Short mmCIF file of all heavy atoms in Angstrom, two decimals:
data_model
loop_
_atom_site.label_atom_id
_atom_site.label_comp_id
_atom_site.label_asym_id
_atom_site.label_seq_id
_atom_site.Cartn_x
_atom_site.Cartn_y
_atom_site.Cartn_z
N VAL A 1 0.74 -1.15 -0.01
CA VAL A 1 -0.12 -0.03 -0.04
C VAL A 1 0.88 1.26 0.00
O VAL A 1 1.75 1.35 0.86
CB VAL A 1 -0.98 0.00 1.24
CG1 VAL A 1 -1.75 1.29 1.19
CG2 VAL A 1 -1.73 -1.23 1.28
N THR A 2 0.46 2.22 -0.88
CA THR A 2 1.15 3.45 -0.88
C THR A 2 -0.07 4.48 -0.83
O THR A 2 -1.05 4.32 -1.64
CB THR A 2 1.94 3.86 -2.20
OG1 THR A 2 2.96 2.83 -2.14
CG2 THR A 2 2.46 5.16 -2.18
N VAL A 3 0.02 5.49 0.02
CA VAL A 3 -0.99 6.50 0.04
C VAL A 3 -0.39 7.84 -0.51
O VAL A 3 0.68 8.32 -0.02
CB VAL A 3 -1.56 6.70 1.55
CG1 VAL A 3 -2.63 7.76 1.56
CG2 VAL A 3 -2.07 5.42 2.02
N VAL A 4 -1.14 8.41 -1.43
CA VAL A 4 -0.66 9.72 -1.98
C VAL A 4 -1.78 10.87 -1.55
O VAL A 4 -2.84 10.58 -1.67
CB VAL A 4 -0.70 9.52 -3.57
CG1 VAL A 4 -0.34 10.83 -4.29
CG2 VAL A 4 0.24 8.39 -4.02
N ALA A 5 -1.24 12.01 -1.32
CA ALA A 5 -2.05 13.07 -0.89
C ALA A 5 -1.33 14.32 -0.96
O ALA A 5 -0.04 14.43 -0.74
CB ALA A 5 -2.71 12.83 0.53
N PRO A 6 -1.89 15.54 -1.40
CA PRO A 6 -1.30 16.76 -1.37
C PRO A 6 -1.04 17.36 -0.10
O PRO A 6 -0.09 18.22 -0.04
CB PRO A 6 -2.23 17.66 -2.23
CG PRO A 6 -3.57 17.00 -1.96
CD PRO A 6 -3.34 15.51 -1.80
N GLU A 7 -1.61 16.97 0.99
CA GLU A 7 -1.44 17.45 2.24
C GLU A 7 -0.17 17.00 2.88
O GLU A 7 0.42 15.88 2.56
CB GLU A 7 -2.65 17.26 3.21
CG GLU A 7 -3.97 17.74 2.77
CD GLU A 7 -4.67 16.95 1.80
OE1 GLU A 7 -4.15 15.75 1.58
OE2 GLU A 7 -5.62 17.36 1.12
N PRO A 8 0.35 17.74 3.88
CA PRO A 8 1.68 17.24 4.46
C PRO A 8 1.56 16.17 5.42
O PRO A 8 2.46 15.43 5.82
CB PRO A 8 2.17 18.49 5.25
CG PRO A 8 0.92 19.36 5.55
CD PRO A 8 -0.07 19.12 4.45
N LEU A 9 0.22 15.83 5.93
CA LEU A 9 -0.04 14.92 7.02
C LEU A 9 -1.45 14.35 6.66
O LEU A 9 -2.29 15.08 6.15
CB LEU A 9 0.06 15.28 8.28
CG LEU A 9 1.51 15.76 8.86
CD1 LEU A 9 1.26 16.59 10.17
CD2 LEU A 9 2.27 14.58 9.11
N PRO A 10 -1.72 13.10 7.02
CA PRO A 10 -3.04 12.53 7.05
C PRO A 10 -3.93 13.26 7.91
O PRO A 10 -3.54 13.73 9.00
CB PRO A 10 -2.95 11.10 7.32
CG PRO A 10 -1.68 11.02 8.25
CD PRO A 10 -0.74 12.04 7.61
N LEU A 11 -5.19 13.51 7.53
CA LEU A 11 -6.30 13.97 8.38
C LEU A 11 -5.87 15.36 9.01
O LEU A 11 -6.59 15.81 9.84
CB LEU A 11 -6.60 13.02 9.49
CG LEU A 11 -6.86 11.67 9.09
CD1 LEU A 11 -6.81 10.63 10.23
CD2 LEU A 11 -8.39 11.68 8.45
N VAL A 12 -5.05 16.05 8.33
CA VAL A 12 -4.50 17.33 8.92
C VAL A 12 -5.59 18.42 8.90
O VAL A 12 -5.66 19.25 9.75
CB VAL A 12 -3.24 17.69 8.30
CG1 VAL A 12 -3.49 18.17 6.82
CG2 VAL A 12 -2.51 18.98 9.00
N ARG A 13 -6.45 18.41 7.91
CA ARG A 13 -7.56 19.41 7.77
C ARG A 13 -8.58 19.23 8.93
O ARG A 13 -9.23 20.17 9.29
CB ARG A 13 -8.16 19.21 6.49
CG ARG A 13 -7.30 19.67 5.34
CD ARG A 13 -7.99 19.52 3.98
NE ARG A 13 -7.25 19.98 2.93
CZ ARG A 13 -7.58 19.85 1.58
NH1 ARG A 13 -8.84 19.35 1.30
NH2 ARG A 13 -6.65 20.07 0.62
N VAL A 14 -8.73 18.07 9.42
CA VAL A 14 -9.68 17.80 10.45
C VAL A 14 -9.01 17.82 11.90
O VAL A 14 -9.64 18.37 12.85
CB VAL A 14 -10.35 16.38 10.26
CG1 VAL A 14 -11.41 16.08 11.28
CG2 VAL A 14 -10.93 16.27 8.83
N LEU A 15 -7.89 17.17 12.06
CA LEU A 15 -7.34 17.06 13.32
C LEU A 15 -6.10 18.01 13.67
O LEU A 15 -5.67 17.95 14.80
CB LEU A 15 -6.90 15.51 13.49
CG LEU A 15 -7.99 14.42 13.35
CD1 LEU A 15 -7.44 13.10 13.48
CD2 LEU A 15 -9.13 14.70 14.31
N GLY A 16 -5.44 18.54 12.55
CA GLY A 16 -4.30 19.31 12.79
C GLY A 16 -3.13 18.55 12.78
O GLY A 16 -3.14 17.26 12.63
N GLU A 17 -1.97 19.23 12.90
CA GLU A 17 -0.67 18.62 12.66
C GLU A 17 -0.25 17.45 13.68
O GLU A 17 0.18 16.47 13.40
CB GLU A 17 0.48 19.59 12.57
CG GLU A 17 0.43 20.56 11.40
CD GLU A 17 1.55 21.55 11.25
OE1 GLU A 17 2.48 21.51 12.16
OE2 GLU A 17 1.52 22.42 10.38
N ARG A 18 -0.55 17.80 14.95
CA ARG A 18 0.04 16.96 15.99
C ARG A 18 -0.75 15.53 15.98
O ARG A 18 -0.13 14.52 16.04
CB ARG A 18 -0.33 17.62 17.43
CG ARG A 18 0.44 16.87 18.57
CD ARG A 18 0.20 17.67 19.81
NE ARG A 18 0.96 16.99 20.88
CZ ARG A 18 0.86 17.46 22.24
NH1 ARG A 18 0.12 18.47 22.53
NH2 ARG A 18 1.50 16.74 23.07
N MET A 19 -2.09 15.56 15.81
CA MET A 19 -2.70 14.33 15.51
C MET A 19 -2.57 13.69 14.21
O MET A 19 -2.50 12.41 14.06
CB MET A 19 -4.29 14.60 15.85
CG MET A 19 -4.59 15.02 17.20
SD MET A 19 -4.11 13.81 18.45
CE MET A 19 -2.87 14.81 19.43
N GLY A 20 -2.42 14.47 13.14
CA GLY A 20 -2.02 13.90 11.97
C GLY A 20 -0.71 13.13 12.03
O GLY A 20 -0.59 12.08 11.29
N GLU A 21 0.22 13.56 12.78
CA GLU A 21 1.50 12.73 12.93
C GLU A 21 1.19 11.40 13.61
O GLU A 21 1.85 10.48 13.30
CB GLU A 21 2.42 13.58 13.80
CG GLU A 21 2.99 14.74 13.14
CD GLU A 21 3.84 15.67 14.05
OE1 GLU A 21 3.88 15.34 15.25
OE2 GLU A 21 4.42 16.64 13.56
N VAL A 22 0.18 11.36 14.52
CA VAL A 22 -0.19 10.10 15.15
C VAL A 22 -0.65 9.10 14.05
O VAL A 22 -0.19 7.97 14.07
CB VAL A 22 -1.31 10.27 16.15
CG1 VAL A 22 -1.84 8.94 16.65
CG2 VAL A 22 -0.79 11.18 17.23
N PHE A 23 -1.47 9.44 13.13
CA PHE A 23 -1.91 8.61 12.13
C PHE A 23 -0.93 8.28 11.08
O PHE A 23 -0.84 7.15 10.58
CB PHE A 23 -3.28 9.14 11.49
CG PHE A 23 -4.45 8.96 12.44
CD1 PHE A 23 -4.79 10.01 13.46
CD2 PHE A 23 -5.26 7.86 12.37
CE1 PHE A 23 -5.83 9.81 14.23
CE2 PHE A 23 -6.36 7.70 13.17
CZ PHE A 23 -6.62 8.63 14.12
N ARG A 24 -0.07 9.24 10.72
CA ARG A 24 1.01 8.94 9.90
C ARG A 24 1.83 7.83 10.33
O ARG A 24 2.31 6.82 9.72
CB ARG A 24 1.82 10.23 9.58
CG ARG A 24 3.00 10.01 8.63
CD ARG A 24 4.03 11.06 8.83
NE ARG A 24 4.52 11.22 10.23
CZ ARG A 24 5.20 12.28 10.78
NH1 ARG A 24 5.44 13.30 9.91
NH2 ARG A 24 5.62 12.21 11.99
N ASP A 25 2.29 7.99 11.65
CA ASP A 25 3.22 7.01 12.26
C ASP A 25 2.55 5.56 12.38
O ASP A 25 3.22 4.57 12.22
CB ASP A 25 3.67 7.50 13.59
CG ASP A 25 4.52 8.78 13.44
OD1 ASP A 25 5.03 9.08 12.34
OD2 ASP A 25 4.80 9.46 14.48
N LEU A 26 1.32 5.62 12.73
CA LEU A 26 0.56 4.37 12.86
C LEU A 26 0.59 3.64 11.56
O LEU A 26 0.85 2.34 11.57
CB LEU A 26 -0.88 4.67 13.18
CG LEU A 26 -1.85 3.50 13.21
CD1 LEU A 26 -1.61 2.49 14.40
CD2 LEU A 26 -3.36 4.08 13.22
N HIS A 27 0.34 4.14 10.49
CA HIS A 27 0.31 3.55 9.26
C HIS A 27 1.63 3.13 8.81
O HIS A 27 1.86 2.01 8.26
CB HIS A 27 -0.46 4.31 8.07
CG HIS A 27 -1.94 4.42 8.32
ND1 HIS A 27 -2.67 3.45 7.49
CD2 HIS A 27 -2.79 5.12 8.97
CE1 HIS A 27 -3.94 3.71 7.89
NE2 HIS A 27 -4.01 4.78 8.69
N ALA A 28 2.71 4.03 9.10
CA ALA A 28 4.09 3.64 8.60
C ALA A 28 4.45 2.41 9.32
O ALA A 28 5.18 1.58 8.74
CB ALA A 28 4.95 4.84 9.00
N GLU A 29 4.08 2.30 10.63
CA GLU A 29 4.53 1.05 11.40
C GLU A 29 3.90 -0.19 10.89
O GLU A 29 4.38 -1.25 10.99
CB GLU A 29 4.18 1.28 12.86
CG GLU A 29 4.97 2.36 13.64
CD GLU A 29 4.39 2.68 14.92
OE1 GLU A 29 3.49 1.91 15.40
OE2 GLU A 29 4.82 3.68 15.64
N GLN A 30 2.76 0.04 10.14
CA GLN A 30 2.09 -1.17 9.65
C GLN A 30 2.49 -1.43 8.14
O GLN A 30 1.86 -2.31 7.43
CB GLN A 30 0.61 -0.88 9.73
CG GLN A 30 -0.04 -0.94 11.08
CD GLN A 30 0.20 -2.19 11.84
OE1 GLN A 30 0.10 -3.26 11.29
NE2 GLN A 30 0.24 -2.14 13.14
N GLY A 31 3.51 -0.68 7.66
CA GLY A 31 4.02 -0.96 6.34
C GLY A 31 3.46 -0.17 5.28
O GLY A 31 3.87 -0.36 4.09
#
């Protein structure tokens, strides 16, 4: 799986940068 998006972080428009980092790292740890 590869995820492509123009934003700098996942879910950043809804949750902001700090929480976006949580979801980015979660998915990265899962490959």
Side-chain angles (χ1 to χ4, degrees):
V1 180
T2 300
V3 180
V4 178
E7 297 83 13
L9 288 165
L11 301 165
V12 68
R13 294 179 181 176
V14 181
L15 303 179
E17 292 184 3
R18 193 173 183 188
M19 294 302 114
E21 291 172 353
V22 171
F23 284 88
R24 178 199 60 194
D25 296 346
L26 169 72
H27 283 268
E29 290 171 12
Q30 296 292 332

